[in-house]
Amino acid sequence: MAAVVLARGKDQRIKAGHLWVYASEIASVDEGAAPGDVVEVRDFRRRLLGRGTYNPASTLAVRIFTRHADEAVDRGLFERRIEEALAYRSRLFPAETTLRLIFSEGDHLPGLVVDRYGGFLCLQEVLAVLKERLEPAGIYERSDLSSRVREGLPPAEGILLGSVPEAIPVILDGLEFRVRLSEGQKTGFYLDQRLNRREIVPLSEGKRVLDAFCNTGGFGLYALKGGAASVVGVDISATSVLRATEQAALNGFAGRCEFRQANAFDFLHELDRSGEKFDLVVLDPPAFTKSARSVPQAWRGYKEINLRALRVLSPGGFLFTASCSFHLGAEDFLAMLREAAADSRRRVRLVALRGQSPDHPMLSGVPETRYLKFAILHCS
Ligand code: SAH
């Protein structure tokens, strides 16, 4: 097997548990290593560090699948890793059939993401083992992330197995959802916020709620379930607004909510000017930065929406605010919220700081697997 040999001193991260080898860390690559091959990763003394898949077209040149000298990267490895991922979830979510089954590095399967929606699976890479183990009625591939193109891989999307309905009916916490795998961003639904959405339910009774960046209405529907007097949802995507409206109607909430297509920045600005107040505000924007370089710019964006949200909160209101930018760390996120709170001249309490749902596990050696920050603020 061909080896990728790291430059001297570039093995520290891998030894500490990380699974990524960057092209810039490589001193030499044995002849014959072809794209997609399993290669050995060795330190500058040629001591074995692990085995992984090689992609010379990417800055992320090797993804390590095993560190054990006697473990091969073969079907058996995938079977063991998938079994482990399933066992982990059956402890945390017994009997749950809508969740993230496999979370890439977090499950020691770098590059593989699989979501389960009842009898259907959606993946962003494919493995035959899943078909056998779960016997799903259908598997849909969504390997269409922009990162794939950056790594020199063609985008791929479509049905891999069986048949997949356009809208998969799914029940979460007693709410009915219709998940459209082909249409949604990600794999159709944001499963990483599933436990955070529950936090809004007990605070919603009789309240006026603003769900900004609502997508298909996740947080808004939970607020309505909790008895919200009214929900206004805002998203820039017309399709998302349509689906949120449909899902609200499906759950019998049509009279208490309104979803609008708008730029949330403009919408918040307008509310701030008009003086209209809300008791609960949700901010769940897309990642404003995908690189360390543009963190300052992203910071300004996050601060702007959080400041405006604090200003439109009625006294005693709660803000539910998230960031899924890995490059804006938890401490940065809190610092940004402190600035927004100070500028708002409101007295702000941090009620809770949460993260992604545990079906998106964080691998201790790979900080990038911890990406979602979710804070609940109380505003006097
Ligand atoms: N809260 C949602 C997930 C939000 S995902 C849930 O619980 O499911 C982020 C959403 O922000 C996407 O639906 C995207 O269309 C929307 N979006 C992106 N930029 C926006 C903008 N400037 N204004 C409003 N919505 C925006």
Coordinates of all heavy atoms in Angstrom, one line a residue, residues 175-225:
L175 N -45.4 16.5 16.2 CA -45.6 17.4 15.1 C -45.4 16.7 13.8 O -44.5 15.8 13.7 CB -44.7 18.6 15.2 CG -45.0 19.6 16.3 CD1 -43.8 20.5 16.5 CD2 -46.2 20.4 15.9
E176 N -46.2 17.0 12.8 CA -46.1 16.3 11.5 C -45.2 17.2 10.6 O -45.5 18.4 10.4 CB -47.5 16.2 10.9 CG -48.1 14.9 11.3 CD -49.3 14.5 10.4 OE1 -49.0 14.3 9.2 OE2 -50.4 14.5 10.8
F177 N -44.3 16.5 10.0 CA -43.4 17.2 9.0 C -43.5 16.4 7.7 O -43.8 15.3 7.6 CB -42.0 17.3 9.5 CG -41.8 18.2 10.6 CD1 -41.9 17.8 12.0 CD2 -41.4 19.5 10.4 CE1 -41.7 18.6 13.0 CE2 -41.2 20.4 11.5 CZ -41.4 20.0 12.8
R178 N -43.2 17.2 6.6 CA -43.0 16.5 5.3 C -41.6 16.8 4.8 O -41.3 18.0 4.5 CB -44.0 17.1 4.3 CG -45.5 16.8 4.6 CD -45.8 15.3 4.2 NE -47.2 15.0 4.4 CZ -47.7 14.5 5.5 NH1 -47.0 14.3 6.5 NH2 -49.0 14.3 5.6
V179 N -40.8 15.8 4.8 CA -39.4 16.1 4.4 C -39.2 15.8 3.0 O -39.5 14.7 2.5 CB -38.5 15.2 5.3 CG1 -37.0 15.4 4.9 CG2 -38.6 15.5 6.8
R180 N -38.7 16.8 2.3 CA -38.4 16.7 0.8 C -36.9 16.6 0.6 O -36.3 17.6 0.7 CB -39.0 17.9 0.1 CG -40.6 17.9 0.1 CD -41.1 19.2 -0.2 NE -42.5 19.2 0.1 CZ -43.5 18.9 -0.8 NH1 -43.1 18.5 -2.0 NH2 -44.7 18.8 -0.5
L181 N -36.5 15.4 0.3 CA -35.0 15.2 0.3 C -34.4 15.9 -0.9 O -33.3 16.4 -0.8 CB -34.7 13.7 0.2 CG -35.2 12.8 1.3 CD1 -34.7 11.4 1.1 CD2 -34.7 13.3 2.6
S182 N -35.1 16.0 -2.0 CA -34.5 16.6 -3.2 C -34.5 18.1 -3.1 O -33.7 18.8 -3.7 CB -35.3 16.2 -4.4 OG -36.6 16.6 -4.3
E183 N -35.4 18.7 -2.3 CA -35.6 20.1 -2.3 C -34.8 20.8 -1.2 O -34.4 21.9 -1.4 CB -37.1 20.3 -2.1 CG -37.6 21.7 -2.2 CD -39.1 21.8 -2.1 OE1 -39.7 21.4 -3.0 OE2 -39.6 22.1 -1.0
G184 N -34.7 20.2 -0.1 CA -34.2 20.9 1.1 C -32.7 21.3 0.9 O -32.0 20.7 0.1
Q185 N -32.3 22.2 1.8 CA -30.9 22.4 1.9 C -30.5 21.2 2.8 O -31.3 20.5 3.3 CB -30.7 23.7 2.6 CG -31.3 24.8 1.8 CD -31.7 26.1 2.6 OE1 -31.2 26.2 3.7 NE2 -32.4 26.9 2.0
K186 N -29.2 21.0 2.9 CA -28.7 19.8 3.7 C -29.5 18.6 3.1 O -29.7 18.4 1.9 CB -29.0 19.9 5.2 CG -28.0 20.8 5.9 CD -28.0 20.4 7.3 CE -26.8 20.9 8.1 NZ -26.8 20.5 9.5
T187 N -29.9 17.7 4.0 CA -30.6 16.5 3.5 C -32.1 16.6 3.6 O -32.8 15.6 3.7 CB -30.2 15.2 4.2 OG1 -30.5 15.3 5.6 CG2 -28.7 15.0 4.1
G188 N -32.6 17.8 3.6 CA -34.1 18.0 3.7 C -34.6 18.6 4.9 O -35.6 19.3 4.9
F189 N -33.9 18.4 6.0 CA -34.4 19.0 7.3 C -33.2 19.1 8.2 O -32.3 18.4 8.1 CB -35.4 18.0 7.9 CG -36.2 18.5 9.1 CD1 -37.0 19.6 9.0 CD2 -36.0 17.9 10.3 CE1 -37.7 20.1 10.1 CE2 -36.7 18.4 11.4 CZ -37.5 19.5 11.3
Y190 N -33.3 20.2 9.1 CA -32.2 20.4 10.0 C -32.4 19.6 11.3 O -33.0 20.0 12.2 CB -32.1 21.9 10.3 CG -31.6 22.7 9.1 CD1 -32.5 23.1 8.1 CD2 -30.2 22.9 8.9 CE1 -32.0 23.8 7.0 CE2 -29.8 23.6 7.8 CZ -30.7 24.0 6.8 OH -30.2 24.7 5.7
L191 N -31.8 18.4 11.3 CA -31.9 17.5 12.4 C -31.1 18.0 13.6 O -31.3 17.6 14.7 CB -31.6 16.1 12.0 CG -32.5 15.4 11.1 CD1 -31.9 14.1 10.6 CD2 -33.8 15.1 11.8
D192 N -30.1 18.8 13.3 CA -29.1 19.2 14.4 C -29.8 20.1 15.5 O -29.3 20.2 16.6 CB -27.9 19.8 13.8 CG -28.1 21.0 12.9 OD1 -29.3 21.3 12.6 OD2 -27.2 21.6 12.4
Q193 N -30.9 20.7 15.1 CA -31.6 21.6 16.1 C -32.8 20.9 16.8 O -33.5 21.5 17.5 CB -32.2 22.8 15.3 CG -31.1 23.8 14.8 CD -30.6 24.7 15.8 OE1 -30.6 24.4 17.0 NE2 -30.2 25.9 15.4
R194 N -32.9 19.6 16.6 CA -34.1 18.9 17.1 C -34.3 19.1 18.6 O -35.5 19.3 19.0 CB -34.2 17.4 16.7 CG -33.0 16.6 17.2 CD -33.1 15.2 16.8 NE -34.2 14.6 17.6 CZ -35.1 13.7 17.1 NH1 -35.0 13.4 15.8 NH2 -36.0 13.2 17.9
L195 N -33.3 19.0 19.4 CA -33.5 19.1 20.8 C -33.7 20.6 21.2 O -34.4 20.9 22.2 CB -32.4 18.4 21.6 CG -32.2 16.9 21.4 CD1 -31.2 16.4 22.4 CD2 -33.5 16.2 21.6
N196 N -33.0 21.4 20.5 CA -33.1 22.9 20.8 C -34.5 23.4 20.5 O -35.0 24.3 21.2 CB -32.1 23.7 20.0 CG -30.6 23.3 20.4 OD1 -30.4 22.9 21.5 ND2 -29.7 23.4 19.5
R197 N -35.2 22.9 19.5 CA -36.5 23.3 19.2 C -37.5 23.1 20.4 O -38.4 23.9 20.6 CB -37.1 22.6 18.0 CG -36.4 23.0 16.7 CD -37.1 22.5 15.5 NE -36.3 22.8 14.3 CZ -35.5 21.8 13.7 NH1 -35.6 20.6 14.1 NH2 -34.8 22.1 12.6
R198 N -37.2 22.0 21.1 CA -38.1 21.7 22.3 C -38.0 22.8 23.3 O -39.0 22.9 24.1 CB -37.7 20.4 22.9 CG -37.9 19.2 22.0 CD -37.5 17.9 22.8 NE -37.7 16.7 21.9 CZ -37.1 15.6 22.2 NH1 -36.4 15.4 23.3 NH2 -37.3 14.6 21.4
E199 N -36.9 23.5 23.4 CA -36.7 24.5 24.4 C -37.7 25.6 24.3 O -38.0 26.3 25.3 CB -35.3 25.1 24.4 CG -34.2 24.1 24.6 CD -34.2 23.5 26.0 OE1 -34.2 24.3 27.0 OE2 -34.3 22.2 26.1
I200 N -38.3 25.8 23.1 CA -39.2 27.0 23.0 C -40.6 26.6 23.4 O -41.4 27.5 23.8 CB -39.2 27.5 21.5 CG1 -39.6 28.9 21.4 CG2 -40.0 26.6 20.6 CD1 -39.5 29.5 20.0
V201 N -40.9 25.3 23.5 CA -42.3 24.9 23.7 C -42.8 25.5 25.1 O -43.9 26.1 25.1 CB -42.4 23.4 23.6 CG1 -43.9 22.9 24.0 CG2 -42.1 22.9 22.3
P202 N -42.1 25.2 26.2 CA -42.7 25.6 27.5 C -42.7 27.2 27.7 O -43.3 27.6 28.6 CB -41.8 25.0 28.5 CG -40.5 24.7 27.8 CD -40.9 24.5 26.4
L203 N -42.1 27.9 26.8 CA -42.0 29.4 27.0 C -43.0 30.1 26.0 O -43.1 31.3 26.0 CB -40.6 29.9 26.7 CG -39.6 29.4 27.7 CD1 -38.2 29.7 27.1 CD2 -39.8 30.1 29.0
S204 N -43.8 29.3 25.3 CA -44.6 29.9 24.1 C -46.0 30.3 24.5 O -46.6 31.1 23.7 CB -44.6 28.9 23.0 OG -43.3 28.8 22.4
E205 N -46.6 29.7 25.5 CA -48.0 29.9 25.7 C -48.4 31.4 25.7 O -47.9 32.2 26.4 CB -48.4 29.3 27.1 CG -49.8 29.4 27.6 CD -50.7 28.5 26.8 OE1 -50.4 27.3 26.6 OE2 -51.8 29.0 26.3
G206 N -49.3 31.7 24.7 CA -49.9 33.1 24.6 C -48.9 34.1 24.1 O -49.2 35.3 24.1
K207 N -47.7 33.7 23.6 CA -46.7 34.6 23.2 C -46.7 35.0 21.7 O -47.1 34.1 20.9 CB -45.3 34.1 23.6 CG -45.1 33.8 25.1 CD -45.3 35.1 25.9 CE -45.0 34.8 27.4 NZ -45.7 35.8 28.3
R208 N -46.2 36.2 21.4 CA -46.0 36.5 20.0 C -44.5 36.2 19.7 O -43.6 36.6 20.3 CB -46.1 38.0 19.9 CG -47.6 38.5 20.0 CD -47.6 40.0 20.3 NE -46.8 40.3 21.6 CZ -46.5 41.5 22.0 NH1 -46.8 42.5 21.4 NH2 -45.9 41.6 23.2
V209 N -44.4 35.4 18.6 CA -43.1 34.8 18.3 C -42.7 35.2 16.9 O -43.4 35.2 15.9 CB -43.2 33.2 18.3 CG1 -41.9 32.6 18.0 CG2 -43.7 32.7 19.7
L210 N -41.4 35.5 16.8 CA -40.8 35.8 15.5 C -39.7 34.7 15.2 O -38.8 34.5 16.0 CB -40.0 37.2 15.5 CG -39.2 37.5 14.2 CD1 -40.1 37.5 13.0 CD2 -38.4 38.8 14.4
D211 N -39.9 34.0 14.1 CA -39.0 32.9 13.7 C -38.2 33.3 12.5 O -38.7 33.2 11.4 CB -39.8 31.6 13.5 CG -38.9 30.4 13.1 OD1 -37.7 30.5 13.2 OD2 -39.5 29.3 12.8
A212 N -37.0 33.9 12.7 CA -36.3 34.5 11.6 C -35.3 33.4 11.1 O -34.7 32.7 11.9 CB -35.5 35.7 12.1
F213 N -35.2 33.3 9.8 CA -34.4 32.2 9.1 C -35.2 30.9 9.4 O -34.6 30.0 9.9 CB -33.0 32.1 9.6 CG -32.2 33.4 9.4 CD1 -32.2 34.3 10.5 CD2 -31.6 33.8 8.3 CE1 -31.5 35.5 10.4 CE2 -30.9 35.0 8.2 CZ -30.8 35.8 9.2
C214 N -36.5 30.9 9.1 CA -37.3 29.8 9.6 C -37.2 28.5 8.8 O -37.7 27.5 9.3 CB -38.8 30.3 9.6 SG -39.5 30.7 8.0
N215 N -36.7 28.6 7.6 CA -36.6 27.4 6.7 C -38.1 26.8 6.6 O -39.0 27.5 6.3 CB -35.6 26.4 7.2 CG -35.3 25.3 6.2 OD1 -35.6 24.2 6.4 ND2 -34.7 25.7 5.0
T216 N -38.2 25.5 6.9 CA -39.6 24.9 6.8 C -40.4 25.1 8.0 O -41.4 24.4 8.3 CB -39.5 23.4 6.3 OG1 -38.8 22.7 7.3 CG2 -38.9 23.3 5.0
G217 N -40.0 26.0 8.9 CA -40.8 26.3 10.1 C -40.5 25.6 11.4 O -41.3 25.7 12.3
G218 N -39.4 24.9 11.4 CA -39.1 24.1 12.6 C -39.4 24.8 14.0 O -40.3 24.3 14.7
F219 N -38.7 25.9 14.3 CA -38.9 26.5 15.6 C -40.4 27.0 15.7 O -41.0 26.9 16.8 CB -37.9 27.6 15.8 CG -36.6 27.1 16.2 CD1 -35.6 26.9 15.3 CD2 -36.3 26.8 17.6 CE1 -34.3 26.4 15.7 CE2 -35.0 26.3 17.9 CZ -34.1 26.1 17.0
G220 N -40.8 27.6 14.7 CA -42.2 28.2 14.7 C -43.3 27.2 15.1 O -44.2 27.4 15.9
L221 N -43.1 26.0 14.5 CA -44.1 24.9 14.7 C -44.1 24.5 16.2 O -45.1 24.2 16.8 CB -43.9 23.7 13.8 CG -44.1 24.0 12.3 CD1 -43.9 22.7 11.5 CD2 -45.5 24.5 12.0
Y222 N -42.9 24.4 16.7 CA -42.8 24.0 18.1 C -43.4 25.1 19.0 O -44.0 24.8 20.0 CB -41.3 23.7 18.5 CG -40.8 22.3 18.2 CD1 -40.6 22.0 16.9 CD2 -40.6 21.4 19.2 CE1 -40.2 20.7 16.5 CE2 -40.2 20.1 18.9 CZ -40.0 19.7 17.6 OH -39.6 18.5 17.2
A223 N -43.2 26.4 18.7 CA -43.8 27.4 19.4 C -45.3 27.3 19.4 O -46.0 27.5 20.4 CB -43.3 28.8 18.9
L224 N -45.8 27.0 18.2 CA -47.3 26.9 18.0 C -47.8 25.7 18.8 O -48.9 25.8 19.4 CB -47.6 26.7 16.5 CG -47.4 28.0 15.7 CD1 -47.3 27.7 14.2 CD2 -48.6 29.0 15.9
K225 N -47.0 24.7 18.8 CA -47.4 23.5 19.7 C -47.5 23.9 21.1 O -48.3 23.4 21.9 CB -46.4 22.4 19.5 CG -46.7 21.1 20.3 CD -45.5 20.2 20.2 CE -45.7 19.1 21.3 NZ -44.6 18.2 21.4

